[in-house]
Amino acid sequence: MKNYIGAIDQGTTSTRFMVFDQSARIAAVAQKEHEQIYPKPGWVEHDPLEILRRTREVIAGALEQRGLRASDLAAIGITNQRETTVLWERKSGKPVANAIVWQDTRVAEDVARFAGQGGQDRFRRQTGLPLSTYFSSLKLRWLLENVPGARERAAAGELLFPHVYPSSLIDGRGPYTAQVANVATSQEEAIALIDKAKAKGFTGVKFYGTFSAAWLPASIAEAHKLGLHVHGHVPVGIRPMEAIDDGYDEITHIYWVIMQAMPDSVIAVSNSLARIEGPARYAKDVDLEGPAMKLIIDTMASKQIAVDPKLFDGYIGRYQLAPDFILAVTREGDHLFTQATGQPKVELFPESNQDYFLKVVDAQITFVIDSNGRGTELILHQGGRDQHAKRIEGEPPPAKEHKEVTVDPKLFNGYIGRYQLAPNFILTITQEDDHLFQQATGQPKFQIYPENERDYFLKVVDAQITFVTDGNGRATELILHQGGMDQHAKRIE
């Protein structure tokens, strides 16, 4: 029987591993510091590989103190530095640079510049946070711009960074309603809030403890219909298995999982402090390998989506989105990849047997198959649009060559701004020194190069931009030429 629980506390100056027994008593502790690196005044860095080594060392040290093995641990909890930023290679797992620590202030000038163009709360609507040197986004931007080749490698899908997927918090009305929740007083209101979350670009919905359990089946069905991830606390009066049976994709917080084995008296008020006090009081008596816990653990494991790589053989081929724009789908071992005309090859990740998503950009692909499992077409879901591409044979025509010329950077002032391609898809044009850049919603920023005063091209993908200007040289719209299509985007404020 697994009688212990471990906890990794990875902090700013040290890493600690603690082992607790079934009575929540500390059975063993090991702790080691790591180096604080100060390259310049205001800069603070850590060596990620040193932190990894220290983590392994303290785990081994604590287990050795009690003569334990890893198999004696029922679970491990992790707490870590929240805003310390590290970028690493997909294949090797190795960092491309030292981690930028949360205390680091190297992006202070960027914070001041962005705040000067819209105030400290310029991005609060999208992120819920003010501009600050503390948060990770500008640190990531610094790494992409200052580590040689990082931006290009990231665009090619070779580098990884944790991504935050926003969820809309939905609760019912009651004495324990979450303070910042969207509140529903009926099933109809709950479904309307789910529809609103999708319309605003959220990728998931998170239900809270006061949400009515009776509304879960219909609400979850609506969320899944819209492609939203469903997670959260477990509504009062039911156990986590009931939420999973209704369609939860994820249970938030480990104490909700162990609520499966709590007494009825705890479940009846589980959206209050009982969700914490109950596990604290009764968890020591719970048999993690007993029927109640085995059922939920096995069920949660079985609901992980896995795809048989043999299915990929039916998808391999070339699909035509437009006359000069082809999506090639290939297989490498147990992994599926797609490559668009003139663009890098990127991996596809399965959500189901036929639905896949990309991690480097906000896009999804659905394969339409025949009775033999062979893809006859694919549907590219990107920027609020669904684009159908039929499977084709033969080779695509060569891409047109573009030649960079020199133009007066003063022209760029008329092009800087935001242009709307689709309801949730914006192209933002910015200037840095004598260079012009574009960044699409959910994608990296790329430089654009002039062919003449109004026509520009990208080097990382086969795409061009034409600016349509008024009599004062101010762009009123841009035209994105990509994949054989011309997409018009009006300037917005």
Side-chain angles (χ1 to χ4, degrees):
M1 183 174 177
K2 300 177 186 294
N3 295 317
Y4 298 92
I5 289 178
I8 297 172
D9 176 13
Q10 203 300 294
T12 306
T13 59
S14 69
T15 303
R16 176 170 52 181
F17 187 69
M18 305 178 71
V19 178
F20 298 87
D21 63 19
Q22 285 192 318
S23 298
R25 291 188 297 259
I26 297 175
V29 179
Q31 183 174 4
K32 286 193 174 184
E33 295 184 351
H34 54 265
E35 182 183 6
Q36 306 298 303
I37 304 169
Y38 305 104
K40 294 182 180 180
W43 290 30
V44 188
E45 297 180 357
H46 290 161
D47 177 355
L49 294 180
E50 182 190 10
I51 291 177
L52 178 60
R53 289 194 301 271
R54 296 290 177 264
T55 303
R56 289 171 172 166
E57 290 166 1
V58 296
I59 291 175
L63 293 177
E64 185 178 356
Q65 288 177 26
R66 293 294 296 243
L68 300 175
R69 297 173 297 178
S71 58
D72 294 317
L73 300 177
I76 293 179
I78 302 175
T79 179
N80 62 284
Q81 305 176 50
R82 293 193 175 192
E83 297 296 337
T84 294
T85 302
V86 63
L87 188 65
W88 67 93
E89 295 176 340
R90 175 190 292 275
K91 288 186 176 180
S92 71
K94 295 180 179 179
V96 299
N98 280 338
I100 302 178
V101 181
W102 59 270
Q103 304 151 308
D104 190 286
T105 59
R106 72 185 66 188
V107 297
E109 291 185 2
D110 292 328
V111 170
R113 181 161 56 86
F114 282 116
Q117 299 171 358
Q120 202 75 19
D121 291 329
R122 176 178 174 182
F123 301 110
R124 186 181 288 274
R125 182 176 180 184
Q126 296 95 325
T127 67
L129 300 169
L131 280 163
S132 170
T133 60
Y134 173 71
F135 302 114
S136 59
S137 58
L138 290 177
K139 296 186 183 75
L140 173 60
R141 180 175 180 269
W142 189 95
L143 288 169
L144 292 174
E145 293 186 347
N146 289 276
V147 176
R151 186 172 292 282
E152 292 75 18
R153 294 185 67 193
E158 297 176 8
L159 302 183
L160 296 178
F161 181 78
H163 187 74
V164 177
Y165 295 94
S167 288
S168 178
L169 175 57
I170 303 175
D171 204 357
R173 188 179 301 282
Y176 303 113
T177 299
Q179 293 181 353
V180 295
N182 297 292
V183 177
T185 60
S186 67
Q187 179 174 291
E188 291 72 24
E189 288 184 6
I191 289 175
L193 288 171
I194 292 167
D195 293 341
K196 183 178 179 182
K198 176 65 175 179
K200 288 196 168 187
F202 287 93
T203 58
V205 290
K206 178 180 181 179
F207 297 123
Y208 235 60
T210 307
F211 191 86
S212 173
W215 305 340
L216 281 182
S219 299
I220 293 173
E222 178 71 9
H224 283 165
K225 183 181 76 175
L226 298 174
L228 297 175
H229 182 77
V230 177
H231 63 120
H233 294 189
V234 177
V236 61
I238 67 171
R239 298 178 186 275
M241 267 304 303
E242 295 172 80
I244 292 172
D245 289 340
D246 284 337
Y248 264 44
D249 299 307
E250 174 189 341
I251 300 292
T252 304
H253 308 310
I254 193 169
Y255 59 69
W256 282 112
V257 177
I258 207 165
M259 291 289 282
Q260 183 66 24
M262 292 296 101
D264 290 341
S265 59
V266 174
I267 299 300
V269 289
S270 61
N271 63 333
S272 66
L273 284 176
R275 71 178 192 262
I276 299 171
E277 293 176 345
R281 181 176 302 166
Y282 298 106
K284 63 182 178 63
D285 300 319
V286 172
D287 181 0
L288 296 177
E289 296 181 354
M293 293 307 300
K294 192 173 189 311
L295 172 64
I296 188 169
I297 292 171
D298 289 348
T299 302
M300 292 177 71
S302 69
K303 284 183 174 289
Q304 292 180 355
I305 296 173
V307 173
D308 183 352
K310 293 179 182 177
L311 293 171
F312 298 166
D313 293 337
Y315 304 152
I316 295 170
R318 300 172 59 252
Y319 301 80
Q320 187 161 24
L321 272 173
D324 298 321
F325 198 63
I326 308 296
L327 283 178
V329 177
T330 56
R331 175 182 174 181
E332 296 181 10
D334 291 344
H335 302 277
L336 199 64
F337 293 83
T338 183
Q339 184 170 16
T341 301
Q343 299 185 17
K345 179 170 63 176
V346 294
E347 187 171 356
L348 293 171
F349 298 87
E351 293 184 289
S352 70
N353 284 350
Q354 292 173 241
D355 298 305
Y356 294 74
F357 66 96
L358 290 81
K359 291 184 178 179
V360 294
V361 296
D362 185 16
Q364 302 80 43
I365 285 176
T366 298
F367 289 98
V368 180
I369 59 175
D370 60 20
S371 58
N372 296 315
R374 184 177 187 269
T376 57
E377 70 172 313
L378 63 75
I379 306 170
L380 174 65
H381 313 283
Q382 187 175 22
R385 303 172 59 197
D386 294 336
Q387 303 177 63
H388 292 252
K390 295 288 187 182
R391 180 194 285 269
I392 60 166
E393 306 298 335
E395 293 299 319
K400 176 186 173 183
E401 291 188 6
H402 300 277
K403 183 177 181 181
E404 181 182 358
V405 301
T406 300
V407 299
D408 186 351
K410 293 179 181 178
L411 290 169
F412 299 164
N413 292 329
Y415 303 155
I416 295 169
R418 299 169 64 245
Y419 301 81
Q420 187 159 22
L421 271 173
N424 296 313
F425 199 66
I426 308 294
L427 281 180
T428 301
I429 305 296
T430 56
Q431 179 180 354
E432 295 182 14
D433 299 324
D434 291 341
H435 303 288
L436 204 60
F437 292 81
Q438 72 85 28
Q439 184 170 17
T441 300
Q443 299 184 19
K445 179 172 64 176
F446 296 115
Q447 186 173 351
I448 55 178
Y449 302 85
E451 291 187 284
N452 56 54
E453 291 186 348
R454 293 198 305 143
D455 297 309
Y456 294 73
F457 66 96
L458 288 84
K459 293 183 179 179
V460 294
V461 296
D462 185 16
Q464 302 80 46
I465 289 175
T466 298
F467 292 98
V468 180
T469 60
D470 59 19
N472 298 316
R474 184 178 187 271
T476 57
E477 69 172 319
L478 63 75
I479 306 170
L480 174 64
H481 313 284
Q482 188 174 20
M485 296 184 294
D486 297 331
Q487 303 177 66
H488 293 251
K490 294 287 187 183
R491 180 194 284 270
I492 62 173
E493 304 299 336

